[in-house]
Amino acid sequence: SLQELHPDCGLSNRIRVANHVCDLAKAKKFEEHAVEAVWKAVEDMLTPEQPPEARHAVLLLLRAIIQGQGERLGPLRAFFFKVIRDYQPSNEDLSDRLEVFKALTENGKDITYLEEDIAGFVLLWMDIGLTADFLHVLVNLVKFNSCYLDQNVSIMVQKICLLCNWTTASTDIEVALQVLDAVVCYNCLPSDSLTVFIITLCRTVNVKEFCESCWKLMRKVLGTHLGHSAIYTMCRIMEERAYMEDSPLLRGAVFFVGMALWGAHRLPALKNTPTLVLPSFYKAMWCANEMVSYEIVLSITRLIKKYGKELQVVTWDILLGIIERLLQQIQSIGSAELKSIVYELLTTVEELYEQNGFHGSSDKFFSLVEKCADKRPDASVLTLISYRAQSIQPAKDGWIQSLHRLMEKFFRNESRSVIRIKVLHILSFVLSTNRQLYEEELIEVAVIPHLSGIAEDRDLAVRRQATQLLVDLAESCSTHHFTSLLDIIERVGDTHTHTGPLEVSERDPTAESPMEDVRTAIRGLLEILQSKLYSLPASHASRVYELLIGHLQLHYKNKYSSAVACSIRLQVFDFLLMMRTDSLHRLGFLSKDGVLRFSPYCHCDMGWVHLHTVHSKLPFPRGTLVPTQSGNHRDELNAKHDKWLLQNVSV
């Protein structure tokens, strides 16, 4: 057979014989020195001028000999290794040569006789054939022979990181990460390779299928003596303006730092506090990028939910600065998803505030909430208003102006009923507690400017609440502002009667009548009149009485015939019929408990005296003054009774 491998036998015949020897080499043990003889016979077939099929046949033969003869090769292993290493051209037949090398080293596990040259070979091959197939071998080389690679580990790491950064083949990335993992686990990652290593992981973690493996690898590095240096490196990356446009890199750095220091599997050995790294998060937002901002929101939300109650003022100050920047960014770059989680972050801080776990500046936080109040849910705005209300007291400088601003933003320029009613409750409380000293200022600044147009407000619940507030305020007001307050109440009382009847469906007894605010206004006027009868100036009582009579006349003028209208008139007439006069023509009022008290300030003309004496001679019994239930027609008795009273009662 050796004779048939001689160059004179023809190339095709030599290739055929070489293939036959391959089979023999795998199945049988060669005689001593037979391997050397075979090699000498085929050596010339590996020269560059030989056709590819000849070189391929020889490389297959070498592989078969190595696999079949194994331990019997001895120092020949080093010889065959040099054949593969010094092959010319160096960048050809890479796959076949690599197969020979894999057979020679058992896929990188055994480098007997190759120890001195293996590091140089690895670097050479990384330059000419850095494929996933070679990286698999490199994993074993690092695991089983790391001590022979020490001097070149830095260059190896850099080349592998370069591959990860430019390749789009997931297989290459997967095996490259396995090599890096082996370097970390079986060798000491060189400190001068840390930056490129960190940058590679920060970019690669953005690939969904490698996120978990990247985090596991990063966690291993953070657990070594390089842990704090790694955190510092990632913070420096976030702060470097050179990387401000590299959103995948910044996002990865934010993710790793947050996960390492306060994530579900944080590393307790790391002593970096949130206060040390959060300024880097803030600087990572120099260039507005949705991907980076999204990751920052996720990270600080996790921090606040887990450790919010432990965070101190200085940390909260940085967090609020980040939130402020986020709120600015979502005005221009925010998608619906980013806006949603930013607003959820605000809700998380609000919940902490309500649990007394927020130790930052409440003023600064609620200023941020107020800037986006129109986008916040009702509960959030109500919490904001309650906080603002705390500073509306005489002990605070500019408190009346604060009340004015609160009314302006959350009553006048707000459409949500529950929020506007909340503000009215606050206004009512402030008036009740401070009116003795500041009534005039409060009415001038906070009441009249904001409630003067309440009659035209479209929200019935708000109209009712505001009207009740005005009534309560007017009842004890004795200054010239009483007239202004009464003017507003008058407009509320006359709104529907001027614009025509607004009926409520008789089929739905639970439906609220659009005249409920009118009922509140008129009932309030009755209360005011009863109070003003016994206080100065008497003109106030006279004015209220005139308003009541004027309102009744509008009912008839506009033929207002709904059940609510009849109920309102009945209330007024019931009140008037409770009034009495004494021999000195002083007006009095018979209260529900039967107590009669006369006013020293309000007298009446003779019409009222006659009313007192003829009360028992009314042409119709009072008991017939009830709202009609027919729906469309007012009871005829009620109509005549009302007309009679209007003709006989006057001041």
Side-chain angles (χ1 to χ4, degrees):
S1 296
L2 285 176
Q3 294 299 322
E4 294 182 275
L5 289 174
H6 193 274
D8 297 335
C9 294
L11 185 61
S12 59
N13 185 60
R14 297 177 74 193
I15 292 174
R16 179 183 59 77
V17 174
N19 291 334
H20 176 65
V21 175
C22 280
D23 296 334
L24 292 176
K26 293 177 183 178
K28 298 180 179 181
K29 298 298 181 183
F30 284 1
E31 297 177 357
E32 189 176 1
H33 304 301
V35 172
E36 294 94 321
V38 171
W39 168 249
K40 285 296 181 180
V42 298
E43 182 178 11
D44 65 299
M45 293 174 65
L46 280 183
T47 55
E49 57 271 12
Q50 293 290 346
E53 58 268 22
R55 298 196 302 270
H56 177 71
V58 174
L59 291 173
L60 285 179
L61 177 59
L62 280 181
R63 179 184 175 191
I65 291 173
I66 293 168
Q67 289 175 336
Q69 306 309 306
E71 299 175 355
R72 303 180 67 194
L73 292 177
L76 279 177
R77 288 165 51 80
F79 177 78
F80 289 143
F81 169 74
K82 290 180 180 179
V83 170
I84 299 304
R85 184 191 65 186
D86 301 334
Y87 193 90
Q88 293 297 328
S90 61
N91 60 346
E92 289 191 12
D93 302 318
L94 295 178
S95 177
D96 291 335
R97 289 160 62 195
L98 182 59
E99 289 300 318
V100 175
F101 178 74
K102 287 164 66 176
L104 195 62
T105 60
E106 292 185 33
N107 282 322
K109 296 177 184 179
D110 180 9
I111 59 170
T112 306
Y113 297 108
L114 317 179
E115 295 89 347
E116 298 300 324
D117 298 318
I118 195 66
F121 173 78
V122 167
L123 292 185
L124 171 67
W125 204 267
M126 292 181 82
D127 286 335
I128 62 174
L130 190 57
T131 62
D133 203 13
F134 172 72
L135 289 174
H136 277 296
V137 180
L138 188 55
V139 170
N140 285 332
L141 284 172
V142 174
K143 285 183 178 181
F144 295 94
N145 303 285
S146 60
C147 60
Y148 298 104
L149 301 173
D150 280 347
Q151 58 184 337
N152 293 323
V153 169
S154 292
I155 301 176
M156 287 170 46
V157 170
Q158 291 179 16
K159 290 181 181 296
I160 293 171
C161 289
L162 184 63
L163 171 67
C164 282
N165 289 328
W166 64 258
T167 186
T168 56
S170 59
T171 305
D172 290 348
I173 296 176
E174 181 180 4
V175 187
L177 290 176
Q178 291 176 15
V179 177
L180 294 177
D181 184 77
V183 169
V184 173
C185 294
Y186 296 92
N187 199 305
C188 182
L189 180 69
S191 57
D192 60 353
S193 301
L194 183 62
T195 298
V196 67
F197 178 90
I198 293 291
I199 289 175
T200 299
L201 287 191
C202 286
R203 287 203 177 102
T204 309
V205 76
N206 290 276
V207 183
K208 186 176 181 180
E209 60 184 300
F210 300 119
C211 180
E212 185 176 355
S213 56
C214 283
W215 165 234
K216 288 181 178 179
L217 180 51
M218 177 62 78
R219 201 167 186 275
K220 291 176 182 177
V221 175
L222 294 172
T224 69
H225 68 289
L226 294 173
H228 289 94
S229 296
I231 294 292
Y232 169 77
T233 299
M234 287 185 280
C235 288
R236 185 167 53 81
I237 287 171
M238 287 186 267
E239 296 181 13
E240 286 285 347
R241 288 191 176 267
Y243 299 122
M244 64 185 300
E245 299 286 350
D246 195 340
S247 54
L249 175 61
L250 295 176
R251 180 193 184 193
V254 170
F255 170 78
F256 283 134
V257 171
M259 288 293 289
L261 299 183
W262 55 76
H265 301 286
R266 71 188 187 93
L267 287 91
L270 294 174
K271 303 305 179 184
N272 309 80
T273 65
T275 309
L276 293 176
V277 301
L278 286 174
S280 300
F281 282 34
Y282 183 80
K283 290 183 179 179
M285 302 168 69
W286 267 337
C287 183
N289 182 280
E290 184 169 344
M291 180 190 298
V292 178
S293 297
Y294 195 94
E295 194 62 47
I296 288 175
V297 177
L298 292 178
S299 187
I300 64 175
T301 299
R302 189 182 301 116
L303 170 64
I304 293 171
K305 285 186 174 181
K306 291 185 67 176
Y307 304 105
K309 294 182 179 180
E310 303 171 17
L311 302 178
Q312 299 306 311
V313 175
V314 62
T315 311
W316 275 113
D317 192 50
I318 305 168
L319 284 170
L320 293 177
I322 293 174
I323 294 173
E324 182 177 18
R325 179 71 67 89
L326 287 167
L327 290 172
Q328 292 170 355
Q329 287 185 354
I330 62 176
Q331 302 304 316
S332 56
I333 68 168
S335 65
E337 291 79 11
L338 178 60
K339 290 179 180 178
S340 176
I341 64 168
V342 170
Y343 292 142
E344 286 177 13
L345 173 59
L346 287 179
T347 302
T348 300
V349 181
E350 285 173 349
E351 291 172 353
L352 202 62
Y353 170 81
E354 292 172 355
Q355 297 165 9
N356 295 319
F358 176 74
H359 304 304
S361 168
S362 297
D363 275 344
K364 185 172 182 180
F365 172 67
F366 282 109
S367 294
L368 297 179
V369 175
E370 187 168 342
K371 288 179 181 179
C372 57
D374 57 327
K375 308 291 194 311
R376 301 295 294 146
D378 294 353
S380 174
V381 180
L382 293 176
T383 302
L384 166 64
I385 293 172
S386 296
Y387 175 77
R388 290 281 183 249
Q390 296 174 14
S391 61
I392 302 177
Q393 52 174 299
K396 301 288 185 178
D397 186 40
W399 65 283
I400 294 181
Q401 287 304 316
S402 297
L403 178 61
H404 169 77
R405 287 193 294 272
L406 190 73
M407 292 290 296
E408 181 74 24
K409 183 172 181 65
F410 296 108
F411 181 80
R412 201 167 189 175
N413 296 319
E414 178 60 66
S415 60
R416 288 171 283 185
S417 178
V418 64
I419 294 172
R420 301 180 74 205
I421 290 176
K422 172 72 173 180
V423 174
L424 289 176
H425 285 155
I426 291 173
L427 176 61
S428 178
F429 177 78
V430 173
L431 288 168
S432 65
T433 54
N434 299 286
R435 63 185 306 170
Q436 188 172 1
L437 296 177
Y438 301 98
E439 180 178 85
E440 289 197 35
E441 292 176 74
L442 289 170
I443 292 175
E444 289 175 1
V445 175
V447 177
I448 293 177
H450 300 292
L451 300 185
S452 59
I454 196 64
E456 290 77 35
D457 199 284
R458 308 184 92 179
D459 192 321
L460 172 60
V462 172
R463 291 201 308 270
R464 287 182 60 189
Q465 189 68 38
T467 302
Q468 188 61 55
L469 184 150
L470 292 166
V471 167
D472 295 339
L473 185 59
E475 188 172 351
S476 56
C477 179
S478 57
T479 68
H480 66 283
H481 290 301
F482 176 82
T483 302
S484 300
L485 297 174
L486 216 58
D487 288 342
I488 302 174
I489 297 172
E490 179 185 13
R491 286 196 292 274
V492 174
D494 294 348
T495 298
H496 298 309
T497 50
H498 280 304
T499 58
L502 297 174
E503 299 291 345
V504 63
S505 173
E506 298 291 345
R507 295 180 181 177
D508 184 6
T510 62
E512 192 170 36
S513 167
M515 286 187 65
E516 284 301 317
D517 56 327
V518 178
R519 190 203 299 269
T520 301
I522 301 307
R523 185 169 58 243
L525 288 176
L526 297 176
E527 294 171 358
I528 294 171
L529 178 56
Q530 184 176 349
S531 173
K532 292 298 182 181
L533 278 175
Y534 306 102
S535 63
L536 291 174
S539 59
H540 286 179
S542 176
R543 170 76 193 284
V544 175
Y545 173 78
E546 290 171 358
L547 289 182
L548 288 169
I549 299 303
H551 179 78
L552 289 176
Q553 289 172 338
L554 283 174
H555 274 242
Y556 297 110
K557 177 181 177 181
N558 292 284
K559 299 180 180 179
Y560 207 90
S561 57
S562 71
V564 176
C566 288
S567 173
I568 291 173
R569 292 199 299 278
L570 180 59
Q571 280 185 304
V572 176
F573 289 134
D574 276 344
F575 180 86
L576 293 177
L577 292 174
M578 287 290 182
M579 300 185 74
R580 301 289 185 270
T581 183
D582 62 5
S583 58
L584 299 177
H585 298 180
R586 294 180 304 176
L587 281 176
F589 184 79
L590 185 63
S591 64
K592 292 181 179 178
D593 53 6
V595 177
L596 180 60
R597 181 173 157 229
F598 292 100
S599 170
Y601 311 114
C602 296
H603 291 222
C604 63
D605 61 15
M606 292 303 294
W608 274 102
V609 177
H610 291 312
L611 175 62
H612 174 66
T613 58
V614 304
H615 177 63
S616 61
K617 301 177 182 179
L618 290 174
F620 312 107
R622 289 182 65 233
T624 60
L625 280 170
V626 294
T628 178
Q629 299 301 316
S630 60
N632 296 321
H633 300 287
R634 180 162 48 89
D635 188 282
E636 191 174 347
L637 280 176
N638 280 346
K640 292 180 180 179
H641 194 179
D642 295 351
K643 185 176 181 182
W644 185 90
L645 283 171
L646 287 173
Q647 290 173 346
N648 287 276
V649 179
S650 63
V651 173

